[in-house]
Amino acid sequence: MTCLIERVEVFCYRVPVKVPVATSFGVMRDRPAVFVKLTDSTGCHGWGEIFANWPAAAAEHRAQLLVQDICDLVVGANVATAGALFESLTAQTHIRALQSGEWGPFRQVIAGLDIALHDIFARHRGLPLAQFLDGGAAAEVPTYASGIAIGAAAELIARSRAVGHNAFKVKIGFDGARDIDALRALADGLDDGERLMADVNQAWTVTEALSHAAAIDALGLQWLEEPIRADLPAGDWQALADGFATPLAAGENITGNSGFETAIAAGHISVVQPDIVKWGGISGCGAAALRTRDAGLRYCPHFLGGGIGLIASAHLLAAVGGDGLLEVDVNPNPLRDAFEGARLRDDGNFTIGTAPGLGIDALPAELSQYQTLSLERRA
């Protein structure tokens, strides 16, 4: 089949939060989301999500970038495969991104469009996205609780446990020794069968990271995420892989097929975490996930956004298989929680819906109070 795209719509939202979401490099003082809708000549539609967490003004910028700089390449396009937009737009916008230096924003918009086009193709086939990607896709995927600030971890882990989670990822990178003391207390308080991970959010130098290796290894963590900057040389990452017994995780800040090929081949990362709304969408991250699985490594999709991206991440994980876990932020977020398909079961697992595509017909009406911008382009 071919798909003639006739309409692009994009919607921006911001939700004020009582408790800001803090990382080692900055604080989110509201929860943004950008959702994109493609409609083809038959009236079939598909939904995607575009990364908008950073910088603070990202949401509205990405929407304007889509409509003013990329839509001329999308509206009226006749595409033959679900990955066609990812391939064509990556090539066609290269000079635009080079000229502006805005590689990230262009990649993020293209990722959202790729998710939406996959949704359309799956809908035309009458299949859930996971089944469209792989006929043997799992009906559910396991999850872990994420976004847990170290200062409030005891309370947030207890809350996460109550809704069925048995794996918890805590944000550290604020105060090395104090953070590790707090992690030790959390590890000692785990129930049988529970697992703990830590995310440093790139806060440490190589020397600092290695100085904490013995203390971290003693905790029995499932993984240590981004202990150093993602763009440091491979030799620095290899030094950490040699110095830690704890598996290292990264991927949300790796982009490009060659970037993932290099990281996977190097073997210094045991847990690979591409983010479908930051780069690649289903096309790029799906390929990276399959390389990860085939290399005997662990694919755990990174995600910290709205409901559409979470549902799409779950479908991709179900299609790829393996022993990966779906990341689920435990902080309140109406832009995620309003989507019925983004809610967990009582046992903490995530059910892959049986409706065609992502199973989203329209955005939840209750989100309208948070909308900051909507734009569209038609043929």
Side-chain angles (χ1 to χ4, degrees), residues 293-316:
R293 186 196 66 188
D294 292 345
L297 304 176
R298 193 176 194 185
Y299 164 58
C300 290
H302 176 274
F303 189 71
L304 190 78
I308 293 175
L310 179 63
I311 294 169
S313 296
H315 278 255
L316 182 56

Side-chain angles (χ1 to χ4, degrees), residues 138-174:
E140 61 183 41
V141 292
T143 70
Y144 71 92
S146 178
I148 299 173
I150 188 65
E155 174 189 350
L156 290 175
I157 287 177
R159 188 188 307 170
S160 302
R161 183 182 289 124
V163 297
H165 286 295
N166 65 2
F168 317 97
K169 187 172 78 180
V170 179
K171 287 185 175 294
I172 61 173
F174 305 98

Side-chain angles (χ1 to χ4, degrees), residues 205-231:
T205 65
V206 175
T207 300
E208 287 171 334
L210 290 172
S211 73
H212 298 309
I216 290 290
D217 286 345
L219 302 178
L221 301 180
Q222 288 284 295
W223 69 71
L224 182 68
E225 187 169 328
E226 288 194 327
I228 58 175
R229 274 182 17 215
D231 64 350

Side-chain angles (χ1 to χ4, degrees), residues 27-319:
V27 178
M28 294 173 61
R29 304 192 184 280
D30 61 24
R31 300 305 299 265
V34 180
F35 302 132
V36 59
K37 180 183 182 183
L38 299 181
T39 304
D40 71 12
S41 58
T42 71
C44 185
H45 71 269
W47 287 100
E49 181 169 345
I50 299 168
F51 178 81
N53 289 346
W54 306 101
E60 292 75 19
H61 172 269
R62 284 4 175 221
Q64 295 285 2
L65 179 66
L66 167 58
V67 171
Q68 297 190 36
D69 291 274
I70 299 179
C71 265
D72 62 309
L73 304 171
V74 178
V75 175
N78 198 10
V79 295
T81 67
L85 278 183
F86 173 68
E87 297 169 359
S88 64
L89 292 178
T90 297
Q92 291 172 306
T93 63
H94 185 93
I95 295 177
R96 300 183 190 191
L98 176 63
Q99 186 72 18
S100 62
E102 296 210 8
W103 297 103
F106 274 93
R107 289 165 176 158
Q108 292 153 16
V109 171
I110 293 169
L113 292 169
D114 180 82
I115 297 167
L117 188 59
H118 274 81
D119 191 16
I120 285 181
F121 270 75
R123 284 173 177 270
H124 274 297
R125 290 279 301 277
L127 295 171
L129 178 59
Q131 292 287 325
F132 172 75
L133 297 172
D134 187 292
E140 61 183 41
V141 292
T143 70
Y144 71 92
S146 178
I148 299 173
I150 188 65
E155 174 189 350
L156 290 175
I157 287 177
R159 188 188 307 170
S160 302
R161 183 182 289 124
V163 297
H165 286 295
N166 65 2
F168 317 97
K169 187 172 78 180
V170 179
K171 287 185 175 294
I172 61 173
F174 305 98
D175 183 324
R178 185 176 298 175
D179 288 351
I180 292 171
D181 287 342
L183 274 177
R184 186 177 298 110
L186 295 173
D188 290 343
L190 293 177
D191 293 340
D192 289 344
E194 292 184 338
R195 295 158 289 172
L196 187 67
M197 299 82 87
D199 185 354
V200 192
N201 286 130
Q202 309 183 80
W204 294 337
T205 65
V206 175
T207 300
E208 287 171 334
L210 290 172
S211 73
H212 298 309
I216 290 290
D217 286 345
L219 302 178
L221 301 180
Q222 288 284 295
W223 69 71
L224 182 68
E225 187 169 328
E226 288 194 327
I228 58 175
R229 274 182 17 215
D231 64 350
L232 287 180
D236 289 341
W237 279 92
Q238 188 61 56
L240 262 64
D242 293 340
F244 278 87
T246 302
L248 300 181
E252 64 179 285
N253 292 306
I254 298 174
T255 59
N257 289 312
S258 61
F260 279 101
E261 287 173 1
T262 299
I264 292 167
H268 48 245
I269 300 170
S270 300
V271 182
V272 183
Q273 304 169 302
D275 188 318
I276 64 170
V277 303
K278 293 188 76 173
W279 170 81
I282 299 297
S283 295
C285 291
L290 291 174
R291 289 192 197 99
T292 299
R293 186 196 66 188
D294 292 345
L297 304 176
R298 193 176 194 185
Y299 164 58
C300 290
H302 176 274
F303 189 71
L304 190 78
I308 293 175
L310 179 63
I311 294 169
S313 296
H315 278 255
L316 182 56
L317 178 59

Side-chain angles (χ1 to χ4, degrees), residues 5-17:
I5 301 172
E6 291 195 338
R7 185 180 185 187
V8 177
E9 300 168 84
V10 62
F11 308 87
C12 298
Y13 300 89
R14 290 186 179 275
V15 178
V17 295

